[in-house]
Amino acid sequence: MEPIIRTKDLSIQFGGHKAVDRVNFEMPEKHFKSIIGPNGAGKTTFFNLLSGELRPTEGDVFFKGESLAKYSSVERTRKGLGRSFQITNVFPNLTVLENVRLAVQSKEKVRFHFIKSYRSYKKITEEALVILDQVLLLNKGEAIASQLSHGEKRKLEIAMLLALDTEVLLLDEPTAGMSLEEVPTILDVIRTIKQRGNKTILLIEHKMDMILDLSDSIMVLFNGKLLADGTPTEIMNNETVQNAYLGGLYDGELVETS
Amino acid sequence: MKTSNLVSKYHVLFLIILLFLIAFPFVADSRTLTILFTQIFIFSILAMSYDILLGYTGIVSFGHAMFFGIGAYATAILLNTFEPTIGVFIGSIAVGIVLSGFVSFLVGLLTLRLKSHFFAMLTLAISGLLLVVAEKWRTVTKGNDGFTFRAPDIFKDRIVFYFCVLACLVIVFLILRRFVQSPLGRLLIAVRENEQRTRSLGFKTLHYKVIASVVAGVIASLAGSLYAVSLRFVNTSVMAMDITLDALLMTIIGGVGTLVGPIVGSVVIEFAQHYLSGLARDFPIFERWIIFFGIIYILAVIFFPKGIVGSILQALSKWKSKHEDRKIFALEKDKEHSP
Ligand SMILES: Nc1ncnc2c1ncn2[C@@H]1O[C@H](COP(=O)(O)OP(=O)(O)OP(=O)(O)O)[C@@H](O)[C@H]1O
Ligand SMILES: [Mg+2]
């Protein structure tokens, strides 16, 4: 089967520093893959290359067999590559509901409608409310995004990705900096999406128990290079991974540093 | 239910102000004030158009006067060339709008992909260029000296013109309000708030910036047409930086990102200008009223970043939430007492 997403020698260099270094990876449709690696390994940069936020200095990304080189982040989202951001990236002065509604608006292709008031697009609001309910933010709908707690902002970030309803979900540390009580909400949301079985999911995380719980496969980035890619058992038993990365760090959970 | 309550309150206020403005020229019987009000309406239209760029889409343009100028010249030249009838007047507005729409589309498409400060500089350069064209193309514009022309006879009555401009203001206000509240308008705000994220959601932000620029250009052109007729005279000053600065000042002082703000701003600035230039007869320093505006401007940006309307809205919402807290508090107290 044609992989839904594939990279060939994907690389990017910042000055002399190769943040992503000839990464070849692919994943089949409806697969759940996690990306692990120490801080600065190039995980977020890898996402930026997939989503078009950054352009590679070498190599290419393929989506359903088609090269994405000529497509901007806008077009990649429309094709079905949606992402969330590690550093919360929302519309700070709009309400939570409006933030999500903008994402739904994109999904529903309501782009140039200027005759009717946005309030009359009931379906968009309703869909946004459903999503907010999923991430337990329903009671915060009227709050201004910038006034949310950190954990709530993270939930909003994910809500916006879910609202886009893209085929591929790129999740960049959805629980980064969340308090322990809030993590299960996000874990549940991600698990539910996975169980529905119609999404391809790529997850960057540091929380090992969460990764082992969710992933069909795991890939390890180290210094921009793809160190290993395999099933959770393979990765946990992989000697290189052990030495390079898991070694001193893994004791039930990776050291949290985000 | 609460919001509909609130909305109808605003509607009532809107109607009261409108009725006042309709009655005003009959009651006040002051030629000076009628003319001043007409001027305020015209600049309200201009400032609202500027706010579509600055307040709603987050685009800083230093060249907005060029569209005002295009409208002013289109109307002046056409009324001067043909019979000054209402038909020609309306036609000239249309010509100005089409020209401005075309120019703003082109300028927007070519420059809006640039970083915002480059865009601001380029708009300054392009409008400067147009100003030079207006100065040099003497056969048509009579350059710096400008020319007088006859307005349609019906506008000889200042009150008729007052109503014509008031009608334009109300119509533009209603259209723009609908526009900013449409899904498209929400996207302009999204671009202002976080352009990169808007793109990441799958919206081509350049399109929205160009649309904002065209809408703003077209409305500014209408204001320019009305302005020319109000003076029955046009020269290159309609394209000058002062016009852009006026629009900028009105928008910022009144409150960016609202449509009422620019209107309030133009009331404040026009009245201030009017009375300060009156004072200038006795105290020559007031001739430099622009210095005062510089000071007001700086103070406004420091202490009133949201402008008059923005600050009022903020105070209102604070007051409301306090009020509600108190209500809840009172309720809880009741509960404590009831058993
Ligand atoms: N735009 C950029 N310009 C220059 N250097 C960059 C840029 N983006 C990332 N880098 C560098 O690339 C390297 C990889 O960064 P990246 O954010 O991808 O790491 P990460 O694996 O996501 O780390 P973390 O776990 O902390 O999120 C880092 O050394 C970083 O400083
Ligand atoms: Mg990262």
Side-chain angles (χ1 to χ4, degrees), chain A residues 13-233:
Chain A
Q13 200 164 337
F14 297 117
H17 175 64
K18 283 190 170 166
V20 172
D21 193 359
R22 268 179 277 136
V23 171
N24 289 291
F25 111 109
E26 58 176 59
M27 65 190 289
E29 241 175 87
K30 322 238 152 59
H31 190 82
F32 194 118
K33 190 191 275 294
S34 292
I35 304 179
I36 59 173
N39 291 117
K43 303 180 296 295
T44 298
T45 309
F46 182 66
F47 264 17
N48 285 337
L49 290 170
L50 295 185
S51 69
E53 242 79 34
L54 290 173
R55 292 303 161 114
T57 40
E58 199 195 320
D60 202 355
V61 182
F62 297 86
F63 184 65
K64 296 180 179 170
E66 184 192 15
S67 160
L68 291 181
K70 60 176 179 293
Y71 296 119
S72 67
S73 62
V74 177
E75 284 144 335
R76 293 184 198 198
T77 303
R78 290 190 189 179
K79 281 181 178 292
L81 270 174
R83 72 169 292 185
S84 74
F85 292 84
Q86 178 177 1
I87 296 166
T88 304
N89 187 359
V90 297
F91 301 102
N93 297 315
L94 304 186
T95 66
V96 169
L97 179 59
E98 275 175 289
N99 267 276
V100 180
R101 197 157 40 196
L102 283 166
V104 179
Q105 211 179 306
S106 171
K107 186 195 90 173
E108 297 289 339
K109 301 191 171 53
V110 178
R111 292 180 187 138
F112 294 107
H113 302 48
F114 63 94
I115 307 287
K116 283 192 294 178
S117 161
Y118 74 98
R119 289 196 191 83
S120 65
Y121 292 78
K122 295 251 155 49
K123 192 175 160 225
I124 291 180
T125 307
E126 276 160 23
E127 275 184 54
L129 289 173
V130 169
I131 304 273
L132 282 181
D133 195 21
Q134 274 176 32
V135 298
L136 305 186
L137 274 184
L138 198 51
N139 59 340
K140 291 280 178 179
E142 293 308 315
I144 302 295
S146 62
Q147 285 164 9
L148 295 178
S149 73
H150 176 77
E152 288 165 343
K153 281 183 190 154
R154 297 304 296 155
K155 289 180 188 171
L156 175 57
E157 179 75 40
I158 296 180
M160 288 167 77
L161 174 60
L162 297 185
L164 270 181
D165 199 26
T166 46
E167 242 179 296
V168 176
L169 306 178
L170 307 175
L171 290 152
D172 195 348
E173 295 196 36
T175 65
M178 267 188 167
S179 70
L180 278 178
E181 309 86 72
E182 288 173 307
V183 173
T185 318
I186 297 305
L187 188 60
D188 283 346
V189 170
I190 299 174
R191 194 182 288 120
T192 313
I193 302 165
K194 181 189 161 156
Q195 277 160 0
R196 270 190 228 140
N198 57 352
K199 302 277 184 211
T200 308
I201 302 173
L202 202 50
L203 168 74
I204 298 176
E205 256 304 339
H206 282 292
K207 296 190 173 62
M208 241 9 232
D209 44 356
M210 183 168 164
I211 291 168
L212 295 174
D213 175 357
L214 291 165
S215 312
D216 298 325
S217 73
I218 299 176
M219 70 184 244
V220 186
L221 281 181
F222 191 78
N223 278 338
K225 290 197 180 65
L226 180 61
L227 198 65
D229 188 350
T231 63
T233 342

Side-chain angles (χ1 to χ4, degrees), chain A residues 77-78 89 98 106 118, chain B residues 181 186 194 196-197 200-201:
Chain A
T77 303
R78 290 190 189 179
N89 187 359
E98 275 175 289
S106 171
Y118 74 98
Chain B
Q181 292 196 342
R186 295 285 110 182
N194 188 342
Q196 178 266 343
R197 180 55 152 174
S200 165
L201 287 181

